[in-house]
């Protein structure tokens, strides 16, 4: 869900002239934080006001293209569907700022606390990492990684105590140093597909038909397959690695579903790689699934 919802930061104000006069030396985090939070504030405001022009202005180019591709891969209208989110982007108020990191034209800002997506229930303390790209001398929002720490209680205790050791190694907390290329426009999907991953303590990268690329970190979520599924053979590549704080013995599931547009027809599971707790896990592999007449009959609700 969260590769579909992109989340970000709040402005803190300008430095006063007296600080410059006193020649106060600022840390990279102190210099980065106001700029990144200002970008997030603008991005969130654009989403809340359903302002397409502002959203385009404050969002990284490659991310704009990816969002558009994801929407058309779900057979939804663009840009109207851009603002049809299941929950609003969370505010940063009430969260604890942990650190900001800079690497070339990319940056991240990490927060800990009760990240509230406004979907009801009582939020628990978790990790939110916001990612940014620099374009034309301005920081633009890229994406957010929400890390549910329910399966990592020790990491949760460390972050609550101000111990940032986890952030030194966690992949989601590291700015990549490079801005991804802007993808070409994907055609509308013929068959809507989603990839689901359950990966406590692990990072899972999945690529479908060499087009749709996905990354899941300590996740239990699904993402739309860019370009959807195609007739005939479809390829699923995946790579699995242990995250800091994980044991490498947790259960794991990777699945691909086809989504029917026929009322009351449930999603059809067409691919699965599943490992029970304490069982060996492949580090990488490639599999396939077929979209043939039998699968289409089920998808259309015509199979017995």
């Amino acid at each position: 869900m969260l590769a579909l919802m992109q989340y970000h930061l709040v402005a803190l104000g300008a430095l006063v002239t007296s600080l410059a006069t006193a020649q106060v030396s600022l840390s990279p985090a102190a210099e980065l934080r106001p700029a990144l939070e200002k970008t997030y504030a603008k991005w969130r405001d654009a989403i809340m006001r359903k302002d397409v022009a502002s959203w385009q202005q404050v969002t990284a180019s490659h991310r704009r293209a990816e969002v558009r591709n994801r929407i058309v891969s779900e057979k939804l209208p663009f840009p109207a569907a851009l603002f049809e989110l299941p929950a609003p982007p969370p505010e940063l108020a009430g969260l604890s700022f942990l650190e900001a990191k800079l690497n070339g034209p990319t940056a991240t800002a990490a927060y800990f606390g009760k990240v509230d997506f406004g979907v009801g229930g009582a939020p628990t303390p978790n990790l939110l990492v916001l990612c940014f790209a620099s374009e034309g001398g301005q920081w633009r929002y890229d994406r957010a990684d929400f890390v549910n720490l329910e399966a990592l209680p020790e990491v949760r205790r460390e972050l609550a105590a101000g111990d940032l050791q986890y952030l030194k190694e966690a992949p989601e907390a590291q700015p990549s140093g490079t801005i991804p290329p802007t993808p070409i426009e994907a055609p509308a999907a013929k068959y809507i597909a989603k990839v689901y991953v359950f990966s406590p303590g692990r990072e899972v990268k999945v690529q479908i038909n060499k087009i749709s690329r996905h990354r899941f970190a300590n996740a239990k979520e699904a993402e739309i397959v860019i370009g959807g599924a195609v007739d005939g053979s479809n390829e699923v590549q995946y790579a699995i690695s242990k995250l800091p704080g994980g044991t490498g013995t947790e259960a794991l599931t990777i699945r691909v579903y086809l989504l029917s547009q026929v009322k009351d027809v449930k999603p059809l599971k067409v691919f699965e790689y599943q490992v029970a707790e304490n069982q060996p896990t492949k580090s990488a592999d490639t599999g396939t699934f077929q979209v043939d007449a039998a699968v289409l009959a089920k998808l259309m609700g015509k199979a017995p």
Side-chain angles (χ1 to χ4, degrees):
M1 177 184 73
L2 295 175
L4 182 61
M5 297 185 297
Q6 316 298 324
Y7 302 124
H8 331 47
L9 301 154
V10 179
L12 292 182
L15 293 173
V16 295
T17 304
S18 60
L19 287 179
T21 305
Q23 297 182 340
V24 174
S25 177
L26 295 177
S27 68
E31 293 174 340
L32 271 176
R33 183 182 178 185
L36 300 184
E37 293 189 341
K38 183 178 180 180
T39 293
Y40 180 69
K42 289 182 177 180
W43 180 89
R44 186 178 186 276
D45 181 67
I47 293 293
M48 300 300 289
R49 291 190 297 107
K50 299 185 178 182
D51 186 335
V52 176
S54 295
W55 176 81
Q56 291 176 328
Q57 185 178 49
V58 78
T59 306
S61 298
H62 72 278
R63 185 59 58 190
R64 294 200 308 268
E66 289 181 2
V67 170
R68 179 262 171 202
N69 285 350
R70 185 166 63 246
I71 288 173
V72 301
S73 294
E74 211 165 350
K75 294 189 176 182
L76 297 173
F78 180 84
L82 170 66
F83 305 109
E84 300 303 319
L85 299 176
E91 296 188 73
L92 298 182
L95 302 181
S96 297
F97 172 76
L98 299 179
E99 66 175 13
K101 292 182 179 179
L102 175 68
N103 186 4
T106 63
T108 59
Y111 294 81
F112 175 76
K114 296 180 179 181
V115 183
D116 189 357
F117 292 106
V119 294
T124 55
N126 291 301
L127 177 65
L128 180 68
V129 179
L130 309 176
C131 304
F132 302 85
S134 179
E135 294 181 356
Q138 299 292 324
W139 285 112
R140 299 177 188 268
Y141 172 72
D142 182 359
R143 72 172 198 280
D145 285 321
F146 173 76
V147 182
N148 190 330
L149 300 175
E150 190 67 31
L152 301 172
E154 184 59 33
V155 172
R156 178 178 279 171
R157 285 192 290 270
E158 290 173 357
L159 292 177
D163 183 349
L164 306 186
Q165 182 62 37
Y166 176 81
L167 297 181
K168 294 180 180 179
E169 302 178 10
E172 65 270 10
Q174 317 308 319
S176 66
T178 59
I179 299 176
T182 300
I184 62 173
E185 289 192 359
K190 186 173 184 179
Y191 309 113
I192 303 172
K194 281 193 174 183
V195 55
Y196 164 84
V197 168
F198 173 64
S199 60
R202 289 191 175 96
E203 177 188 57
V204 177
K205 294 180 180 179
V206 182
Q207 180 174 272
I208 299 174
N209 290 334
K210 295 184 171 62
I211 297 174
S212 191
R213 296 175 175 85
H214 308 264
R215 176 184 171 275
F216 301 89
N218 195 48
K220 183 180 181 181
E221 59 187 277
E223 293 181 353
I224 196 74
V225 173
I226 301 303
V230 300
D231 289 310
S233 181
N234 292 258
E235 182 183 77
V236 181
Q237 296 175 304
Y238 55 88
I240 303 164
S241 58
K242 185 174 76 68
L243 287 172
T247 64
T249 62
E250 298 91 347
L252 173 77
T253 301
I254 302 172
R255 293 176 183 149
V256 177
Y257 291 91
L258 298 185
L259 277 63
S260 177
Q261 293 186 283
V262 177
K263 185 179 179 180
D264 296 328
V265 175
K266 295 180 179 180
L268 179 62
K269 182 174 65 178
V270 290
F271 176 87
E272 180 177 64
Y273 173 63
Q274 188 162 271
V275 179
E277 189 174 0
N278 296 317
Q279 295 302 307
T281 303
K282 297 176 182 177
S283 60
D285 201 3
T286 299
T288 61
F289 66 89
Q290 299 292 320
V291 177
D292 53 21
V295 167
L296 292 179
K298 294 178 181 178
L299 201 61
M300 297 299 294
K302 297 179 179 179

